């Protein structure tokens, strides 16, 4: 009996795969039968991800997606893709009163501008197969304001708006584009800029399901969106919150 | 960095509290205006004004303005 919940023989690109959510997505995709191209800045940690993946035919490409030349090398090395997970991102907690140009440049370059440029380069390089699925990892920070999160929230809001337009432009080729919007997930991002982990451990009890999410929780949803099981789904921003209604 | 100048800079992070109310011995969490956002501003102040990173956990262990001064001085 066949099932659409599979990625057998699909080529999937996953950015930011050297840790956290990206790593969990890479591992899950490999278990679902995909051949993955994983990318990140840190060769050692990328290899660590690779060592945890199942099956053969995966490749790890070290690249700094902020760098145009690195992106060109990456795109050239890629096969025709059936799935793209734009996951690379950075957290930031700065009160509005203290925001600097550097904060804005850093957060927007990593969370917004680089994914947009990489997406363009993938399309210009004709790397997307018809029927492919593109997933952007956004955040519930777009909908749930929390103090200090303005620049991060704005960067994710921008990528969501972009993704919805991209969905429209790629629909004629049956390429689907969706965002996943997690609430608090246990990764290095949530303790950005000196946030106290002990406070977060207490805070997660407020979530109706009693805990923050894990990278694997996000990966399970992304695996579904990459698979043919979601083939009528595009332009969506899927909320993954453990029932929580704040960050 | 001297304590007098630090107390002034610390007091500037408050919008509606009279700076005269804030001294080195002030237990800043007792001030009406104190909130988690003010705490985040103190952390940002440490970074932008003094080039020092302090964490939420370290700030939580401080009671008085002088404790914060000592924390930043120790970095």
């Amino acid at each position: 009996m066949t099932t659409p919940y599979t990625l057998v023989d699909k080529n999937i690109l996953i950015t930011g795969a050297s840790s956290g959510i990206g790593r969990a997505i890479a591992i899950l995709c490999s278990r679902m039968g995909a051949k993955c191209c994983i990318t990140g800045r840190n060769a050692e940690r990328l290899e660590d991800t690779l060592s945890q993946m199942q099956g053969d035919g995966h490749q790890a490409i070290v690249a700094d997606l902020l760098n145009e030349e690195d992106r060109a090398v990456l795109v050239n090395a890629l096969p025709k893709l059936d799935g793209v997970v734009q996951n690379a991102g950075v957290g930031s907690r700065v009160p509005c009163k203290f925001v600097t140009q550097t904060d804005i440049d850093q957060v927007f370059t990593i969370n917004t501008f680089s994914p947009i440029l990489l997406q363009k380069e993938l399309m210009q390089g004709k790397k997307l197969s018809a029927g492919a699925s593109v997933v952007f990892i956004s955040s519930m920070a777009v909908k749930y304001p929390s103090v200090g999160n303005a620049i991060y929230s704005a960067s994710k809001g921008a990528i969501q708006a972009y993704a919805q337009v991209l969905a429209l432009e790629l629909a004629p080729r049956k390429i689907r584009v969706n965002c996943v919007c997690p609430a608090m997930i246990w990764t290095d991002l949530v303790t950005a800029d000196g946030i106290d982990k002990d406070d977060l451990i207490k805070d997660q009890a407020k979530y109706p399901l009693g805990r923050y999410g894990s990278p694997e929780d996000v990966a399970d949803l992304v695996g579904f969106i990459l698979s043919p099981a979601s083939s009528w789904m595009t332009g969506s921003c899927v909320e993954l919150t453990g029932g929580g209604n704040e960050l | 960095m001297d304590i007098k100048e630090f107390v002034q800079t610390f007091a500037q992070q408050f919008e509606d509290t009279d700076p005269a109310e804030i001294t080195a011995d002030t237990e800043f969490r007792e001030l009406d205006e104190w909130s988690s956002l003010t705490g985040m501003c103190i952390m940002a102040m440490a970074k932008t004004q003094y080039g020092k990173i302090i964490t939420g956990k370290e700030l939580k262990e401080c009671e008085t303005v002088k404790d914060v001064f000592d924390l930043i001085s120790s970095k």
Side-chain angles (χ1 to χ4, degrees):
Chain A
M1 201 170 89
T2 59
T3 160
Y5 297 88
T6 175
L7 296 175
V8 169
D9 292 333
K10 304 269 191 199
N11 289 313
I12 312 281
L13 168 68
I14 300 141
T15 71
S18 51
S19 65
I21 292 172
R23 173 175 285 173
I25 292 168
I27 293 168
L28 179 80
C29 288
S30 72
R31 289 182 183 158
M32 290 177 74
K35 296 196 188 318
C36 301
C37 303
I38 61 172
T39 182
R41 283 174 301 177
N42 185 305
E44 201 176 316
R45 290 191 301 165
L46 211 52
E47 281 302 318
D48 195 16
T49 300
L50 202 58
S51 71
Q52 294 179 54
M53 293 166 66
Q54 279 183 12
D56 302 321
H58 309 302
Q59 54 175 331
I61 302 169
V62 178
D64 180 354
L65 297 181
L66 274 55
N67 182 308
E68 192 175 351
E69 285 174 24
D70 275 21
R71 289 199 306 270
V73 171
L74 171 69
V75 171
N76 278 332
L78 293 170
K80 202 96 165 162
L81 297 168
D82 304 293
V84 177
V85 184
Q86 294 255 29
N87 164 72
V90 68
S92 162
R93 286 265 181 186
V94 184
C96 292
K97 201 162 75 170
F98 280 91
V99 167
T100 63
Q101 185 71 49
T102 308
D103 294 324
I104 297 169
D105 289 346
Q106 189 189 15
V107 174
F108 270 85
T109 304
I110 297 173
N111 289 356
T112 313
F113 304 151
S114 296
I116 289 172
L117 291 171
L118 175 63
Q119 189 63 42
K120 178 202 84 166
E121 288 150 8
L122 290 171
M123 294 186 291
Q124 291 281 355
K126 303 206 181 297
K127 295 292 182 178
L128 298 183
S129 299
S133 173
V134 180
V135 184
F136 288 87
I137 305 302
S138 181
S139 171
M140 285 310 291
V142 176
K143 191 169 162 186
Y144 300 162
S146 65
V147 294
N149 231 6
I151 302 304
Y152 177 78
S153 298
S155 74
K156 290 298 191 180
I159 206 70
Q160 276 186 28
Y162 165 83
Q164 287 172 312
V165 175
L166 183 68
L168 206 56
E169 294 187 8
L170 292 179
R173 294 188 64 223
K174 307 294 182 239
I175 295 171
R176 303 178 295 109
V177 182
N178 295 283
C179 292
V180 168
C181 305
M184 294 296 272
I185 303 293
W186 283 115
T187 69
D188 293 345
L189 260 72
V190 297
T191 51
D193 293 317
I195 298 296
D196 185 0
K197 194 174 176 186
D198 292 343
D199 286 345
L200 298 178
I201 289 169
K202 271 184 230 150
D203 184 71
Q204 69 175 345
K206 286 196 285 191
Y207 276 52
L209 289 182
R211 64 174 178 87
Y212 287 173
S214 66
E216 290 73 21
D217 289 322
V218 182
D220 289 344
L221 175 57
V222 172
F224 164 71
I225 299 174
L226 289 169
S227 79
S230 61
S231 57
W232 199 54
M233 190 174 164
T234 196
S236 294
C237 297
V238 187
E239 300 184 356
L240 186 65
T241 65
N245 57 11
E246 61 180 276
L247 292 184
Chain B
M1 182 170 82
D2 74 65
I3 182 76
K4 198 176 158 202
E5 177 265 323
F6 180 80
V7 170
Q8 282 173 1
T9 310
F10 191 98
Q12 279 167 13
Q13 307 317 315
F14 293 79
E15 300 299 328
D16 301 310
T17 304
D18 182 354
E21 248 189 82
I22 298 176
T23 69
D25 296 325
T26 301
E27 294 185 5
F28 53 84
R29 280 194 195 76
E30 303 304 316
L31 296 165
D32 286 346
E33 199 186 324
W34 179 262
S35 70
S36 61
L37 176 59
T38 326
M40 217 173 265
C41 287
I42 298 300
M43 286 157 63
M45 172 201 81
K47 188 175 167 188
T48 56
Q49 302 267 333
Y50 302 106
K52 303 286 173 69
I53 306 286
I54 61 171
T55 66
K57 192 172 188 168
E58 289 168 333
L59 186 61
K60 216 193 289 177
E61 286 162 7
C62 298
E63 286 180 12
T64 66
V65 177
K66 179 156 189 314
D67 292 339
V68 182
F69 174 79
D70 291 340
L71 171 65
I72 295 174
S73 302
S74 72
K75 295 279 177 174

